[in-house]
Amino acid sequence: MLTDAAAIAFVPSTDLDRSHAFYAGVLGLELTEQTPFACVFRAGPAMLRVTKVEELRAQPFTVLGWAVPDLRTTVAGLVAAGVAFTRYEAIPQDPDGVWTTPGGDLIAWFPDPDGNNLSLTQFA
């Protein structure tokens, strides 16, 4: 029934102005609308709604991710923009915080200003 329907991603935020600065200014997403309730961005072909919440508890898992063609270049660009990548003790990551999966995919994680866990993946 939804095979051809466009998916919409949702991420919570306690401060839309701060999220606007991060998602547009740091990640480079195009802001298409801002209301008192959400910032709406274009993320490739998908819509991302960063939705205002009064409080949130960041989850320990990835809530939003991007498939990128060159993970190392993307990581370097985000680090230059001030993004700090997350390191996990249980996962063998290289000095840039990149994990190579057993299948050869490359993955790196980073938080948004609310602590939502975001990721980048370069598929093998």
Side-chain angles (χ1 to χ4, degrees), residues 1 16 28 30 39 63 77 92 102 105 117-118:
M1 182 183 298
L16 290 180
E30 176 190 353
C39 291
V63 299
D105 299 334
N117 196 25
L118 311 178

Side-chain angles (χ1 to χ4, degrees), residues 72 75-76 79 85-87 93-99 108-109:
R72 296 200 182 278
V75 166
V79 166
F85 281 79
T86 305
R87 301 203 52 90
Q93 293 166 278
D94 69 16
D96 294 324
V98 176
W99 176 51
W109 297 268

Side-chain angles (χ1 to χ4, degrees), residues 9-93:
F10 293 85
V11 173
S13 172
T14 59
D15 183 331
L16 290 180
D17 290 332
R18 183 180 65 194
S19 291
H20 176 190
F22 178 76
Y23 284 92
V26 176
L27 300 187
L29 301 183
E30 176 190 353
L31 179 73
T32 61
E33 179 183 14
Q34 183 163 353
T35 71
F37 309 105
C39 291
V40 182
F41 298 94
R42 178 69 37 214
M47 176 189 296
L48 169 61
R49 291 186 59 87
V50 179
T51 305
K52 174 78 168 124
V53 296
E54 291 305 314
E55 59 184 69
L56 73 89
R57 183 178 53 154
Q59 299 300 309
F61 50 82
T62 303
V63 299
L64 177 65
W66 288 267
V68 296
D70 184 342
L71 183 123
R72 296 200 182 278
T73 298
T74 305
V75 166
L78 290 174
V79 166
V83 172
F85 281 79
T86 305
R87 301 203 52 90
Y88 296 103
E89 288 184 26
I91 299 173
Q93 293 166 278

